[in-house]
Amino acid sequence: MNLRLYDTRTRAIRDFEPRQPGKVTMYVCGATVQSPPHAGHVRFAVDFDLLRRWLLHQGMDVAYIRNVTDIEDKVLAKAALEKTPWWELAYRNERAFSEAYDLLGCLPATLEPRATGHIPEIIALIQRLIDAGHAYASGGDVLFDVRSFADYGALSGQRIDEVQPAGDTENVEAKRDPHDFALWKGAKPGGPSWDTPWGPGRPGWHIECSAMSTKYLGPEFDIHGGGLDLVFPHHENERAQSQAAGDPFARYWLHNAWVTAAGEKMSKSLPNSVLVSEVVRRVRPVELRFYLAQPHYRSMVEYSEEALQEAAAGYQRLESFVLHAVEFVGESVGAAPIDDRPAVPGAFTAAMDDDLGVPQALAVVYNAVREGNSALAADDKEAVLARLVEVRSMLSVLGLDPMDPRWRETGGADESLRSAVDVLVRALLDEREQARARKDWAAADAVRDRLRAAGIDVTDTPHGARWSVASHRVASQQVASQPPESE
């Protein structure tokens, strides 16, 4: 493999070499399910889906584990606020996340374990840490002794004495050091609990992921991923407790950047959340996927409606070429299923191998679309087909092929609406063509301007006029700059 990835632990781009040739093991921290997903939540799912798809394209067998944190302080607090059983709230939001992942075209995880389904593994790992002298029971809790692990802070670059004490338990006086964090929390009246050698209680957040990842991927695995906000303390603590127990743990640490709103991380606690269920009422799911996928995974994304609509218009330009090219070369040829590992241009491969350089890879796609549109205008069927195959192959690797049944089927009402609009637009185009035939340029201009004002872009070809949807902002600019029909 020629793939190189940025490793948070070493703060450098490294050659990616899986433990076992031909197989990649990935553990990605999934949702803490106290609320339904907003656009910021699902960015990690799209980014790591892109990585997984690229590994599959390279011929790798990928084991992809994405957990569900269904027992945690935030879940319990939200359930108490709503006066809802914690397990009911957790399951309801877990389903909402699953629907969002599927809506955005993310491949199903190999396995999606819940924290509450792994209490025996959590207890066993805690006992290993106690036996190794890295953890201690105190006041009903079990705590990790951070100063017993000399390499603590190496992942995040933090120094123990320079960070705030762990605020994960009310039983502060039971800690040897205020920075020690909870592996197990003693039971509270009316709260969920399981029996352990140290008394009833529930797991801490960090130990859950260590137990689940090693159960399914073993003591050492290739990639541990998640959002940038998880580097400290979550992933730092995961690494510390797993390695303190004697497990090599993750070989590469990858983190995607945030979606921000007004310069702040989009989060459940801020009034800037944009629920996925609401966003897909304004743009199609494939357009939301494109919006989240097009920046580099380590770049922050500032959310705005304008940026979202610009991304939707960008995808529509790619889609427009594909649809017109399929129409030109024939449905049976142009819409044929893409191979599982399609051939893609070398420049696309080089971009993806360079730390998953999706922006550079999309530049290759756009270039192929420009060439394809020129071939359409020149009535060059052979060139159109070649570019169509290239574009669809590249977009397929990114999970964005417009001809993928997922995106065509999820259109549903959109497809019916497009068919209805097509009838109306073609009637106007016929009216425009008749005006051109009698050299009534003013009437032809008026028809074209009416269409453009409605966001319909018209392209004249040797086979007649074709139409596509353009953003209103772009359409208004084109109306002003378009030469009159008589020219």
Side-chain angles (χ1 to χ4, degrees), residues 37-39 42 45-46 49 53 66 94-108 274-292 315 398-401 404-412 414:
H38 58 60
V42 293
V46 171
D49 184 66
R53 286 173 180 271
R66 181 182 60 218
E94 179 186 338
R95 292 202 313 271
F97 270 89
S98 296
E99 290 167 3
Y101 300 150
D102 187 59
L103 196 65
L104 295 175
C106 296
L107 299 173
V274 183
L275 295 180
V276 172
S277 58
E278 294 298 320
V279 176
V280 295
R281 294 182 180 183
R282 301 191 295 277
V283 296
R284 293 175 298 163
V286 67
E287 292 165 348
L288 177 56
R289 179 183 174 92
F290 183 76
Y291 171 69
L292 295 170
Y315 180 75
L398 300 175
L400 291 165
D401 177 16
D404 187 319
R406 170 187 297 276
W407 305 128
R408 302 187 80 182
E409 289 170 6
T410 55
D414 287 342

Side-chain angles (χ1 to χ4, degrees), residues 3-259:
L3 178 61
R4 304 180 74 233
L5 297 169
Y6 183 86
D7 177 24
T8 304
R9 167 67 181 85
T10 60
R11 294 161 186 76
I13 293 179
R14 297 172 54 198
D15 292 338
F16 177 68
E17 298 177 1
R19 282 184 67 249
Q20 183 178 340
K23 183 170 184 177
V24 177
T25 47
M26 293 176 61
Y27 181 87
V28 178
C29 279
T32 300
V33 287
Q34 81 265 31
S35 299
H38 58 60
H41 287 137
V42 293
R43 186 185 180 189
F44 91 92
V46 171
D47 283 337
F48 285 99
D49 184 66
L50 290 169
L51 174 59
R52 182 186 183 189
R53 286 173 180 271
W54 186 240
L55 291 167
L56 291 170
H57 175 76
Q58 301 278 38
M60 298 290 108
D61 176 15
V62 182
Y64 182 88
I65 310 299
R66 181 182 60 218
N67 75 295
V68 176
T69 301
D70 60 342
I71 184 77
E72 203 264 341
D73 290 347
K74 295 175 182 177
V75 174
L76 299 179
K78 188 64 178 294
L81 185 66
E82 293 188 6
K83 297 181 180 180
T84 302
W86 66 270
W87 47 266
E88 180 181 327
L89 175 119
Y91 186 54
R92 183 179 74 224
N93 290 319
E94 179 186 338
R95 292 202 313 271
F97 270 89
S98 296
E99 290 167 3
Y101 300 150
D102 187 59
L103 196 65
L104 295 175
C106 296
L107 299 173
T110 307
L111 194 68
E112 198 164 16
R114 298 188 189 101
T116 53
H118 297 80
I119 301 300
E121 290 84 0
I122 291 170
I123 292 173
L125 179 54
I126 292 174
Q127 189 62 61
R128 287 171 61 194
L129 287 165
I130 292 174
D131 294 344
H134 290 287
Y136 58 95
S138 178
D141 296 340
V142 180
L143 300 153
F144 183 83
D145 183 353
V146 295
R147 296 192 187 274
S148 72
F149 184 67
D151 204 32
Y152 188 82
L155 175 65
S156 61
Q158 303 278 6
R159 296 182 180 179
I160 294 178
D161 294 325
E162 296 177 357
V163 298
Q164 292 182 346
D168 57 352
T169 177
E170 297 174 3
N171 198 12
V172 179
E173 65 277 2
K175 295 184 176 184
R176 295 175 183 172
D177 185 290
H179 297 92
D180 293 349
F181 59 88
L183 304 173
W184 191 262
K185 301 184 179 187
K188 293 183 179 180
S193 68
W194 291 261
D195 291 330
T196 74
W198 322 288
R202 60 182 176 85
W205 177 27
H206 315 301
I207 198 70
E208 296 171 349
C209 284
S210 285
M212 287 186 283
S213 60
T214 54
K215 175 178 175 63
Y216 296 108
L217 299 179
E220 183 179 26
F221 53 93
D222 293 312
I223 296 171
H224 195 315
L228 187 63
D229 53 321
L230 298 181
V231 176
F232 188 88
H234 186 47
H235 287 170
E236 188 70 73
N237 291 352
E238 274 190 67
R239 175 178 171 272
Q241 64 202 5
S242 291
Q243 293 192 343
D247 295 336
F249 210 50
R251 292 159 53 88
Y252 297 81
W253 291 86
L254 271 65
H255 294 93
N256 65 279
W258 301 333
V259 176

Side-chain angles (χ1 to χ4, degrees), residues 242-465:
S242 291
Q243 293 192 343
D247 295 336
F249 210 50
R251 292 159 53 88
Y252 297 81
W253 291 86
L254 271 65
H255 294 93
N256 65 279
W258 301 333
V259 176
T260 60
E264 295 184 82
K265 173 181 172 287
M266 188 178 287
S267 70
K268 306 178 189 78
S269 61
L270 295 174
N272 59 11
S273 299
V274 183
L275 295 180
V276 172
S277 58
E278 294 298 320
V279 176
V280 295
R281 294 182 180 183
R282 301 191 295 277
V283 296
R284 293 175 298 163
V286 67
E287 292 165 348
L288 177 56
R289 179 183 174 92
F290 183 76
Y291 171 69
L292 295 170
Q294 64 176 351
H296 192 275
Y297 75 93
R298 290 193 287 118
S299 298
M300 296 292 182
V301 176
E302 175 65 16
Y303 180 88
S304 70
E305 279 299 311
E306 181 181 13
L308 181 66
Q309 294 299 332
E310 286 181 352
Y315 180 75
Q316 289 163 18
R317 287 193 290 274
L318 303 178
E319 181 183 44
S320 177
F321 163 71
V322 170
L323 295 177
H324 289 157
V326 167
E327 179 186 358
F328 182 59
V329 303
E331 182 92 9
S332 60
V333 176
I338 296 292
D339 295 338
D340 290 339
R341 294 177 59 193
V344 294
F348 182 91
T349 297
M352 294 296 288
D353 276 344
D354 186 10
D355 194 29
L356 218 64
V358 173
Q360 293 76 20
L362 283 173
V364 181
V365 177
Y366 276 113
N367 186 61
V369 166
R370 283 192 293 271
E371 293 178 358
N373 282 326
S374 296
L376 279 170
D379 203 18
D380 186 341
K381 189 171 184 177
E382 183 177 346
V384 169
L385 180 59
R387 298 294 82 73
L388 173 62
V389 171
E390 278 186 357
V391 169
R392 286 194 59 206
S393 295
M394 291 185 282
L395 291 178
S396 177
V397 170
L398 300 175
L400 291 165
D401 177 16
M403 305 310 293
D404 187 319
R406 170 187 297 276
W407 305 128
R408 302 187 80 182
E409 289 170 6
T410 55
D414 287 342
E415 288 298 319
S416 298
L417 179 61
R418 182 181 176 88
S419 297
V421 171
D422 184 60
V423 172
L424 298 174
V425 171
R426 289 193 181 280
L428 287 172
L429 291 178
D430 288 343
E431 180 182 328
R432 172 175 173 260
E433 190 58 34
Q434 292 169 14
R436 286 160 61 94
R438 63 176 184 268
K439 300 186 185 307
D440 187 350
W441 309 120
D445 281 342
V447 171
R448 184 187 60 195
D449 291 348
R450 284 166 59 195
L451 289 169
R452 291 194 179 281
I456 302 297
D457 193 9
V458 178
T459 303
D460 291 310
T461 77
H463 300 278

